[in-house]
Amino acid sequence: MTKLPPPPDDWYVAFARHLGEAYLRYAFTTGTAQEVDFIAETLATAPGERLLDVGCGPGRHAVEFARRGLAVTGVDISPEFIALAHRAAAEAGVSPSFFEMDARELPFDSEFDLAICLNEGGFGLGLPDLQILKGIRKALKHGGRLALGAPNLFYVLKHGGVLRPASEPPPVGAPPAAGEFDPVKMLYKARVDGIEGAAGEPASFEIWNSCYTPRELEWIANGAGLDPEAVFGIAPGSYGRDRPTMDHPELLLIARRG
């Protein structure tokens, strides 16, 4: 049985710094409008509501929600991604707020009607997920709604990776990654070589993911003080109400602060 050490606290910072705007060349980032359409319908969003995007990355979901009239705040640990988010918002003519912030240290208290945390945006990176989820719950108003994505354990066990759907070609020249799985910690680590950065330079990184079953995702939501309403099986750009299977790379939790 593989026994993995805890991932470095800041492993994602160097990864994001290397990627920069190359992050948006990955095929999984091209389905933003469909993803936002589904979440907006499922969470019954309304113009003027306040939305918190935890782990907003370069701001693709935040900008799209801002286009729809929501008051959006995006936070991310990467200063490079926050700079890209500001630029994307300016180009789109919208004005969400973006802050460099660690998802483990959210300072908000009952301020938001809605929260999203997608594509391992702070949650599911091998970090203290319960702490992060408690911070998101505290940030929501009573009755506030949440859409949160997480790596699907069954997909990892079947396909040996969480970076992309099995049918999708390797992004940015990166080959499929063989990895190690710790079944006690539900932690997956993969070394990925040849990841091209913004200037085209290749580099290698260790990618860490906390993996979940639908039931465990509901349990951790309960532990954070949230009321789970549904868990769907999803793929990037293909969000829907599918029952999770071993071929869905991600799970999408819909929950509410009761």
Side-chain angles (χ1 to χ4, degrees):
M1 181 176 69
T2 300
K3 184 177 181 180
L4 294 175
D9 278 349
D10 59 350
W11 74 264
Y12 192 77
V13 177
F15 183 57
R17 182 181 304 120
H18 172 74
L19 278 177
E21 62 187 14
Y23 176 90
L24 295 171
R25 299 177 200 161
Y26 279 70
F28 71 79
T29 68
T30 62
T32 305
Q34 190 279 333
E35 295 165 5
V36 170
D37 281 342
F38 178 78
I39 291 171
E41 177 189 356
T42 302
L43 297 185
T45 64
E49 287 191 306
R50 296 193 65 194
L51 181 145
L52 175 64
D53 185 351
V54 180
C56 65
R60 61 191 184 95
H61 295 104
V63 168
E64 190 66 30
F65 274 110
R67 289 181 194 270
R68 297 160 191 246
L70 278 76
V72 180
T73 297
V75 301
D76 199 279
I77 197 171
S78 165
E80 289 80 13
F81 279 175
I82 290 296
L84 289 171
H86 279 295
R87 189 174 77 186
E91 291 173 352
V94 294
S95 53
S97 300
F98 293 109
F99 300 97
E100 182 184 339
M101 189 179 297
D102 193 320
R104 293 164 288 193
E105 300 172 0
L106 297 177
F108 310 109
D109 190 352
S110 303
E111 297 180 38
F112 294 93
D113 304 288
L114 308 151
I116 60 172
C117 185
L118 307 172
N119 296 120
E120 289 85 78
F123 186 93
L125 298 176
L127 303 176
D129 284 340
L130 180 58
Q131 177 182 339
I132 292 166
L133 202 50
K134 284 181 176 179
I136 294 174
R137 182 257 183 198
K138 185 179 178 183
L140 287 169
K141 299 175 182 177
H142 291 285
R145 296 95 74 199
L146 168 67
L148 175 137
N152 180 2
L153 170 67
F154 299 120
Y155 179 90
V156 174
L157 296 179
K158 180 177 179 179
H159 297 286
V162 292
L163 297 180
R164 55 186 177 272
S167 59
E168 183 178 305
V172 201
E180 301 175 83
F181 178 68
D182 186 329
V184 174
K185 298 179 180 179
M186 305 285 272
L187 189 64
Y188 181 83
K189 179 183 78 169
R191 178 180 174 85
V192 187
D193 299 314
I195 296 179
E196 294 182 9
E201 72 283 12
S204 300
F205 287 92
E206 288 185 340
I207 309 297
W208 301 76
N209 286 107
S210 309
C211 304
Y212 288 88
T213 67
R215 183 173 65 175
E216 285 164 336
L217 196 55
E218 291 181 338
W219 282 352
I220 195 172
N222 284 143
L226 293 161
D227 296 332
E229 296 183 348
V231 177
F232 302 121
I234 60 169
S238 184
Y239 284 22
R241 292 174 174 77
D242 291 344
R243 181 182 177 88
T245 72
M246 299 180 77
D247 295 313
H248 288 110
E250 295 181 67
L251 305 172
L252 183 68
L253 170 73
I254 305 299
R256 186 179 298 266
R257 177 175 177 176

